[in-house]
Amino acid sequence: MKKRKLGNLEVSAIGMGCMGMSHATGTPMDMDEAARVIREAVDVGYTFFDTAKNYGYKDDPHHNEKILGKALSGIRHQVVIASKCGVDFDYAVNPEVPPLLYDSSREGIRKSIEGSLKRLNTDYIDLYFQARIDPKVEPEEVAETMAELIREGKILHWGISEVNEEYLRRANAVCPVTAVENGYNIIRRDHEPLIPFLEEHGIGWVAYTPMFKGLLTGTFHKGAQFTRDDWRSRLVNDQNLDRYHDLIEYLAVLGEEKNATPGQLSLAWILHKKPYLVPIPGMRSRARLEENAKAADIVLTPEEVARIDQLAVSAQE
């Protein structure tokens, strides 16, 4: 697969978002099966794997990191691992849709990194994200802690997820940020005002939910049903299927012309926007791994990108 740069960190042009194997997309995968899929991803050409300490479920809150630790044993040097700290799920309040508990204190981050290193079966994490802004902790304190971890060799780079420009500016002034991880896709574009700052400081962008929780794949129809703990229901619903019908239809027609699926075109659209954007779709099978990898080779014309943009904007007016 083609490569891209997040700051000076080289990764596959499309990364693998691993959360869905353990959390938010229905029944968690069996650990052995999930590890096999991740090994297959390496065979296909993926080198960038995104996880977090809290990607799990009530009975195994750290399920996802354990999967990667098992899957990447023996081939750790071939891949780039991103994990996260700063949040946990409060399963005591709601085991199906738990609220977040925030802790980006120095002590909280240090406790998190030690647990993640053990579960991932590694001495270092390539890219360590603060998962969400903690209103109780100033960005300078978080950045200072990350700088300590870099000096100690426990992490190589750091970043912030769902960050705004003010917070990013303050944190970056203390310890340079390699990448942000913010939601981004054809429909969700509220973080685009960050782009001038990212470009000024050479910061990459890891784009999660690149297919709008599957809505942009064109595979869902009105009446789709999800379990309560499946986060796709928040976006894949009858209202949005109606609202974005013309956009989804255009992706299907364009896909026929290019021998591509709407999901592949959604990834290609992101790749065409900026050279430092790296989408991380969730995948649970080799077929999906191979399909999404091919998106890196799709060429969209400026006119096609503009038409996609126009349909997305029109649907939101």
Side-chain angles (χ1 to χ4, degrees):
M1 195 190 302
K2 294 176 180 177
K3 299 293 193 296
R4 291 202 156 199
K5 287 285 191 73
L6 297 170
N8 61 1
L9 179 62
E10 185 176 80
V11 298
S12 51
I14 298 171
M16 184 174 185
C18 300
M19 180 183 77
M21 291 180 155
S22 306
H23 182 81
T25 54
T27 304
M29 294 181 70
D30 171 78
M31 190 168 295
D32 289 337
E33 179 186 359
R36 177 184 56 78
V37 172
I38 289 173
R39 291 293 287 250
E40 289 177 343
V42 176
D43 293 340
V44 171
Y46 293 86
T47 66
F48 182 44
F49 296 85
D50 181 89
T51 184
K53 72 163 186 170
N54 64 315
Y55 290 170
Y57 51 97
K58 181 181 178 182
D59 294 333
D60 192 353
H62 310 299
H63 185 253
N64 210 244
E65 285 188 329
K66 294 176 184 177
I67 292 171
L68 266 72
K70 181 181 182 68
L72 301 176
S73 178
I75 56 171
R76 173 67 182 92
H77 64 288
Q78 299 179 29
V79 301
V80 172
I81 296 175
S83 193
K84 306 177 191 73
C85 63
V87 297
D88 285 295
F89 289 115
D90 192 347
Y91 290 104
V93 173
N94 188 332
E96 292 184 323
V97 188
L100 291 177
L101 295 170
Y102 298 90
D103 184 3
S104 287
S105 66
R106 183 178 184 275
E107 296 75 16
I109 291 174
R110 284 196 159 275
K111 181 179 178 180
S112 291
I113 189 67
E114 296 303 331
S116 291
L117 290 173
K118 182 177 180 180
R119 289 185 292 269
L120 290 166
N121 190 28
T122 184
D123 296 326
Y124 66 95
I125 293 174
D126 302 272
L127 179 56
Y128 200 45
F129 284 106
Q130 178 189 12
R132 291 292 186 274
I133 292 174
D134 184 343
K136 306 183 301 297
V137 183
E138 298 298 325
E140 290 82 4
E141 179 181 337
V142 176
E144 288 168 0
T145 304
M146 294 297 187
E148 292 174 3
L149 296 180
I150 290 173
R151 288 193 296 269
E152 294 167 15
K154 293 181 178 180
I155 67 175
L156 304 185
H157 304 266
W158 86 289
I160 312 168
S161 181
E162 282 299 295
V163 66
N164 57 58
E165 183 174 336
E166 179 186 0
Y167 191 97
L168 178 60
R169 184 181 298 277
R170 290 172 60 186
N172 188 69
V174 174
C175 181
V177 171
T178 291
V180 302
E181 183 171 320
N182 286 3
Y184 190 62
N185 54 57
I186 293 170
I187 295 170
R188 185 185 176 187
R189 301 173 64 174
D190 52 300
H191 288 296
E192 285 185 338
L194 274 179
I195 287 175
F197 186 86
L198 299 181
E199 295 186 343
E200 178 184 355
H201 296 276
I203 299 171
W205 185 344
V206 178
Y208 74 84
T209 61
M211 301 179 193
F212 204 67
K213 292 294 183 185
L215 184 81
L216 292 169
T217 65
T219 58
F220 291 102
H221 304 284
K222 293 179 70 172
Q225 298 293 315
F226 302 94
T227 58
R228 285 192 66 227
D229 60 349
D230 192 325
W231 291 6
R232 288 175 294 184
S233 62
R234 303 177 184 183
L235 300 178
V236 183
N237 51 53
D238 290 358
Q239 180 181 0
N240 278 337
L241 286 166
D242 282 338
R243 186 177 191 180
Y244 296 106
H245 174 271
D246 291 348
L247 169 62
I248 296 169
E249 186 67 21
Y250 176 70
L251 292 175
V253 172
L254 185 61
E256 291 181 2
E257 297 175 9
K258 295 182 178 292
N259 191 29
T261 66
Q264 288 174 322
L265 293 177
S266 299
L267 297 175
W269 177 90
I270 292 175
L271 296 174
H272 277 72
K273 281 295 176 177
K274 295 292 180 180
Y276 50 83
L277 268 163
V278 176
I280 50 167
M283 296 166 278
R284 294 171 61 137
S285 69
R286 187 180 184 103
R288 199 65 67 220
L289 291 167
E290 293 176 346
E291 175 185 331
N292 289 340
K294 293 175 182 176
D297 297 319
I298 294 174
V299 176
L300 296 176
T301 67
E303 293 76 18
E304 290 164 345
V305 172
R307 179 59 176 159
I308 291 171
D309 290 346
Q310 179 188 27
L311 289 168
V313 171
S314 296
Q316 295 171 348
E317 291 178 344

